Amino acid sequence: MKRIRKDHIFKKRWVKPIFIFMIACTFLFSTAYAMLNQHFTVSGTATIFNYGDCPSDINYAYEISSSWGDANSGYTYHVIFTVINNSNQAINTWTITLKGPSDLRIGNANATVTTDQGEVTLTPTGSYTWAANIAAGSSRNIDFQATTVEPTLNLEYLYFNNCMAITGGWGSPLRDFTLDPEEVTLRINQIATITIHKMPVDAQADFTFTSDDTSVATVNDTGIITGISQGTTTINVSHGGTTKTVAVTVLNQQITLTSLSLSPKNNQIKVGEIKTLTTTRVPENAGGTVTYTSSNPSVATVDSSGRVTALSAGSTVITASSSGLSDTANVTVIREATSDDLDITFSYGYYYNRDMQFSINFSNIGQSEIHKITFKISFPSGTTWQYWNNWPAQFVADSTGTTLTSTGTISLAGGSYLTFTGNVTLPNGYRSSDYLNPTIYDVEVE
């Protein structure tokens, strides 16, 4: 049998390229298999925000079952979007619209894929009509592969028909909005509120409101329209480059405000806290703007919505005014309790040798409630304590017996006091008669 030498084989021009190609294929398949086994799984149930015609008995689930790839070739994510039809009617057709990274590519979908200005749309047309129907009481998995250079798949939004589906971590940009009402008839001084329906409903967006003729009707920055005089005008609501309008007609009739009240009447808040007072107007749709003032703005200020911000300890009166009517509410601002608010007095009873009966009185001379007390007392190190009274919070001494801290819950309100009694034993070599008037110092309260 004739031997064939290896060097003879490689002299053939067509052999070496094939050999190199086979090695390259083996390497690529090995690498691909390794990457396919480096999956991760992220699952979650989508929340559907009802916008437009979103039936409550149709639910959705979203899952990334696996991913593979790298920064050079791109990352591919196997996405499974499940539609669960719990209604008694079949879904005969559907459209999925989603937007992700600018380089997002969709493949291997059981639907026709089209792309328009960064939005990807999947529809069950052409050879995919079999997937269009989702029978009542059934579900449909809509699979596709999403490829991007991004190491994580972050979709800005995903719509099923006219419903927004959002999972944890997805953003919610405003796609569209509508106004309610789109036209309104008011009387002079009557008000109406514009309701903005955002798509999706949780989108973060700022809107501006303007009136084409403020002599007929005005609108504030929260969308409240007020009729001023007879005539017609248009209210414009804008976001970005989109403007929607409300047609306003004002009749030559007036709704007069008959009552204005502010509640609660008496308020106590701490420095730094914010409290919103409630303003009640009768009738509710009467016109006129409510204005708020503080008699002592260095203590507390009030904004155009009746929100009171406490600045420093003291008292002030908040006044709400509209259409010649007014009402007031009292606000007292207190600060957090400090050691200066606590007066501590020590008194002794029977004493003999190293023992002494004692009574410690704690008086809160401030306004804020005290919940914890720590203090030091000028007894010698090694002093031991025995308590007699069943106070809601006992005191625990440190290892030296010279620092005591309350335990449990104290509710020492401003203007109140608590008394702590018991027996104290001094260490050997000390006499209680030398410590009848100990010094209490380094007082701390919370």
Side-chain angles (χ1 to χ4, degrees):
M1 185 174 184
K2 186 176 181 181
R3 292 177 177 267
I4 301 176
R5 289 166 40 199
K6 287 192 293 183
D7 58 343
H8 180 72
I9 293 175
F10 282 102
K11 286 182 180 179
K12 299 289 186 180
R13 294 181 178 178
W14 54 269
V15 173
K16 185 175 290 186
I18 292 177
F19 184 78
I20 295 173
F21 175 76
M22 291 174 64
I23 293 175
C25 288
T26 302
F27 174 79
L28 290 173
F29 282 127
S30 299
T31 304
Y33 178 81
M35 288 188 294
L36 282 169
N37 282 278
Q38 294 174 355
H39 306 162
F40 67 91
T41 300
V42 180
S43 301
T45 300
T47 300
I48 302 307
F49 295 92
N50 289 336
Y51 179 84
D53 300 323
C54 292
S56 60
D57 47 10
I58 297 179
N59 299 314
Y60 307 83
Y62 167 86
E63 178 184 3
I64 298 177
S65 66
S66 60
S67 72
W68 58 92
D70 55 33
N72 294 323
S73 60
Y75 298 91
T76 299
Y77 303 85
H78 180 197
V79 178
I80 302 174
F81 185 73
T82 304
V83 181
I84 306 164
N85 185 4
N86 293 319
S87 69
N88 56 10
Q89 294 183 344
I91 300 174
N92 296 316
T93 188
W94 49 262
T95 299
I96 290 178
T97 304
L98 59 91
K99 187 173 184 180
S102 58
D103 69 324
L104 183 66
R105 304 185 305 278
I106 302 297
N108 292 342
N110 52 351
T112 300
V113 179
T114 57
T115 302
D116 180 22
Q117 296 181 348
E119 281 192 344
V120 179
T121 302
L122 288 75
T123 52
T125 59
S127 59
Y128 302 103
T129 54
W130 60 269
N133 183 274
I134 306 175
S138 68
S139 62
R140 168 82 65 196
N141 286 342
I142 302 168
D143 289 48
F144 57 89
Q145 291 180 359
T147 302
T148 174
V149 297
E150 301 295 333
T152 56
L153 179 60
N154 290 319
L155 299 181
E156 291 186 23
Y157 50 77
L158 187 150
Y159 291 85
F160 180 83
N161 288 340
N162 198 33
C163 295
M164 179 71 175
I166 303 176
T167 61
W170 291 11
S172 302
L174 183 72
R175 297 189 70 211
D176 197 7
F177 66 95
T178 59
L179 305 179
D180 182 24
E182 294 182 347
E183 57 183 40
V184 63
T185 299
L186 303 173
R187 289 179 282 181
I188 295 174
N189 287 336
Q190 186 178 5
I191 63 174
T193 301
I194 301 172
T195 300
I196 301 175
H197 297 288
K198 298 181 292 185
M199 183 178 182
V201 295
D202 70 333
Q204 300 297 316
D206 295 323
F207 297 89
T208 58
F209 302 84
T210 59
S211 171
D212 285 351
D213 190 345
T214 55
S215 67
V216 173
T218 60
V219 62
N220 68 7
D221 56 6
T222 61
I224 298 177
I225 307 170
T226 302
I228 302 299
S229 65
Q230 183 178 7
T232 59
T233 188
T234 299
I235 302 298
N236 306 290
V237 182
S238 302
H239 171 76
T242 303
T243 298
K244 305 291 179 74
T245 60
V246 177
V248 178
T249 300
V250 180
L251 305 178
N252 190 21
Q253 301 173 357
Q254 293 191 15
I255 295 180
T256 304
L257 183 69
T258 60
S259 175
L260 178 70
S261 61
L262 196 59
S263 62
K265 290 298 182 185
N266 296 295
N267 306 269
Q268 180 174 285
I269 55 179
K270 293 181 180 180
V271 173
E273 291 183 343
I274 296 175
K275 183 174 184 178
T276 300
L277 302 180
T278 300
T279 304
T280 303
R281 296 153 43 93
V282 179
E284 291 183 2
N285 61 350
T289 301
V290 180
T291 59
Y292 300 88
T293 58
S294 171
S295 64
N296 194 347
S298 64
V299 171
T301 59
V302 60
D303 67 10
S304 59
S305 300
R307 292 199 322 162
V308 178
T309 302
L311 301 179
S312 63
S315 298
T316 187
V317 177
I318 303 299
T319 302
S321 304
S322 180
S323 302
L325 301 178
S326 64
D327 196 22
T328 60
N330 300 314
V331 175
T332 300
V333 179
I334 61 175
R335 54 174 172 74
E336 292 286 349
T338 68
S339 59
D340 293 335
D341 297 324
L342 188 64
D343 183 50
I344 305 177
T345 57
F346 179 94
S347 58
Y348 62 90
Y350 172 79
Y351 63 91
Y352 176 74
N353 199 2
R354 295 185 296 127
D355 294 318
M356 179 197 310
Q357 296 176 5
F358 71 88
S359 176
I360 304 178
N361 188 74
F362 302 91
S363 296
N364 185 351
I365 59 177
Q367 293 179 312
S368 299
E369 193 169 43
I370 295 174
H371 301 283
K372 184 178 181 180
I373 302 171
T374 299
F375 65 93
K376 292 182 179 180
I377 189 166
S378 59
F379 282 158
S381 178
T383 298
T384 58
W385 299 77
Q386 180 183 2
Y387 315 123
W388 293 353
N389 62 321
N390 187 25
W391 203 31
Q394 295 288 358
F395 278 83
V396 175
D398 67 355
S399 59
T400 69
T402 61
T403 299
L404 285 80
T405 302
S406 62
T407 63
T409 302
I410 296 177
S411 296
L412 187 57
S416 64
Y417 69 91
L418 293 170
T419 302
F420 179 45
T421 60
N423 186 82
V424 63
T425 300
L426 303 180
N428 290 328
Y430 294 90
R431 297 180 59 84
S432 58
S433 58
D434 296 329
Y435 292 89
L436 299 180
N437 295 295
T439 301
I440 293 176
Y441 60 103
D442 287 355
V443 179
E444 298 179 2
V445 302
E446 293 181 11

